[in-house]
Amino acid sequence: MAATKTYLTGVQTSGMPHIGNYIGAIKPALAAASANDTLYFLADFHSLNSVKDPDRLRNDIRSVAATWLACGLDPQRTVIYRQSSIPEVFELSSILASVTAKGLMNRAHAYKAARDRNEAAGGTDLDAGVNMGLFNYPILMAADILVMEADVVPVGRDQVQHIEYTGDIARAFNHLYGDSYAFPIPQGAYPEGEASILPGIDGRKMSKSYDNHIPIFLPENKLKKLVRRIPTDSTPVEAPKDPDTSVPFQLLAQFAPAERVEPVRKRLEEGGMGWGELKNELFEVLNETFGPMRERYDELVAPGRELDAILTAGAERARERSRATLAKVRTAVGID
Ligand code: ADP
Ligand code: TRP
């Protein structure tokens, strides 16, 4: 019988997730976690490249961790930890840097995109605004994955190159030191088919960068206000409307069961339901979906030891793996 595969993924700590992140990332990840041997970590050192405000970084990390737990991540089943709690990640990152060609990093998408932006802006220094953290990101990500000897890494398609680089770096190491220790080569697992992309309150893709998002755990009154702000046209209540071009309807369809969505679709198509009523329905559904989780979220983010204790326990479990890997790697390279 094949040994159980280890799944690992890193979660960016960029503030309280929104309901698009919930449908596109959190919900599928939690479904996958219940069926596999899974490690989820908060990629806080990666955030350091862009976030220079310590209070914000601190709050973002807690908020993201509390969100995943409140949404149903079971810390007994899934190992959840902060990247920064695993010193072996950083040690391995240095060792991997010594077998990684600089040219590989020059070709990394995120770095190239930063240079292209500088070039398009007519700058003479194409590396302006690029820190070494961004440049080294693929090596640190390879260390995140290899230190846990992960077999499968579920990520979005935008991460394909990072997963390929992890394989390249692991192979470079294995080629030199494989007689003593070889990393398993991890595989990416990418979402199949068209994923549902939720529109934001302005109709574009919901994204923090467009500031058109609905944070998952807004207090009830703020949630209601935000839903009311979704722009709609001035079609009168009695006129027929096209549900499929309506942002509140598209959001409703993601969160309400079919038996609640279909009557709304019918009433919009036939006329007789106004946008105001539709938005009230959307608010009710979001509030019912996230209300109970919000209570748990509020408990977890409140200053106290519970969240820290969960993450510390996760880090201890994760370090059993990372320490074992580093011992083998150190022996293989001759620093033991
Ligand atoms: P943002 O655009 O708000 O910064 P991220 O790029 O950090 O969001 O995305 C984190 C995860 O959430 C990714 O897996 C991404 O596919 C998913 N995601 C982001 N926005 C949406 C959306 N509007 N609909 C569905 N999934 C989304
Ligand atoms: N780069 C990933 C992203 O932007 C986050 C990440 C960091 C990650 N390290 C990882 C994902 C290791 C999977 C495995 O979403």
Side-chain angles (χ1 to χ4, degrees), residues 6-319:
T6 298
Y7 285 61
L8 169 138
T9 204
V11 178
Q12 295 180 45
T13 56
S14 47
M16 186 197 286
H18 54 70
I19 64 173
N21 300 143
Y22 179 77
I23 294 291
I26 300 176
K27 209 173 151 201
L30 293 182
S34 62
N36 296 299
D37 174 17
T38 308
L39 300 134
Y40 284 158
F41 72 92
L42 303 152
D44 49 5
F45 256 88
H46 288 287
S47 300
L48 208 50
N49 294 329
S50 51
V51 181
K52 309 296 186 199
D53 171 345
D55 283 333
R56 189 181 138 203
L57 191 62
R58 224 172 258 129
N59 289 334
D60 281 358
I61 295 164
R62 288 184 69 81
S63 177
V64 171
T67 300
W68 280 72
L69 291 163
C71 288
L73 184 141
D74 174 359
Q76 303 300 330
R77 263 206 87 106
T78 303
V79 181
I80 179 168
Y81 60 96
R82 295 168 63 151
Q83 178 190 34
S84 55
S85 303
I86 315 292
E88 290 77 20
V89 166
F90 308 97
E91 198 177 324
L92 182 59
S93 180
S94 291
I95 294 172
L96 295 178
S98 71
V99 301
T100 303
K102 174 172 176 285
L104 196 66
M105 299 301 105
N106 289 342
R107 293 188 291 277
H109 294 325
Y111 173 60
K112 267 176 55 187
R115 285 178 64 94
D116 290 348
R117 277 195 299 275
N118 285 332
E119 191 165 24
T124 45
D125 175 9
L126 298 189
D127 282 332
V130 175
N131 57 44
M132 286 304 294
L134 172 72
F135 189 69
N136 287 335
Y137 190 113
I139 303 179
L140 184 56
M141 179 155 162
D144 293 330
I145 296 170
L146 298 175
V147 83
M148 300 299 168
E149 298 187 315
D151 302 299
V152 184
V153 185
V155 275
R157 296 209 171 268
D158 59 328
Q159 299 295 312
V160 168
Q161 189 194 43
H162 283 148
I163 303 300
E164 284 171 2
Y165 274 22
T166 301
D168 293 344
I169 294 170
R171 273 185 287 269
F173 179 96
N174 294 352
H175 180 72
L176 285 164
Y177 303 112
D179 287 344
S180 169
Y181 173 72
F183 290 110
I185 306 296
Q187 282 180 350
Y190 307 104
E192 276 172 37
E194 267 310 275
S196 323
I197 298 292
L198 266 62
I201 59 168
D202 63 357
R204 292 186 290 173
K205 171 187 183 279
M206 184 176 293
S207 171
K208 278 198 202 92
S209 26
Y210 297 147
D211 203 15
N212 64 355
H213 57 293
I214 304 180
I216 301 189
F217 299 124
L218 275 186
E220 203 170 312
N221 54 344
K222 291 205 171 144
L223 177 63
K224 192 176 251 169
K225 271 197 200 141
L226 197 56
V227 169
R228 289 240 176 83
R229 264 183 39 209
I230 302 176
T232 38
D233 59 24
S234 53
T235 319
V237 173
E238 57 288 354
K241 302 174 187 66
D242 179 7
D244 295 314
T245 56
S246 146
V247 170
F249 182 81
Q250 285 168 33
L251 294 177
L252 183 79
Q254 289 291 337
F255 292 96
E259 60 272 18
R260 198 157 168 187
V261 177
E262 284 319 306
V264 173
R265 169 186 288 283
K266 208 156 170 268
R267 287 185 55 215
L268 287 167
E269 282 172 349
E270 288 171 357
M273 185 177 202
W275 296 130
E277 191 188 342
L278 173 62
K279 288 184 196 174
N280 283 341
E281 180 73 3
L282 174 60
F283 163 73
E284 293 298 337
V285 164
L286 290 177
N287 201 37
E288 282 164 30
T289 307
F290 294 111
M293 298 182 204
R294 179 167 54 218
E295 281 175 28
R296 181 73 183 122
Y297 173 85
D298 289 341
E299 270 170 31
L300 284 164
V301 277
R305 313 281 344 141
E306 188 183 358
L307 184 64
D308 296 336
I310 292 172
L311 296 177
T312 305
E316 274 162 22
R317 284 164 73 191
R319 283 198 76 192

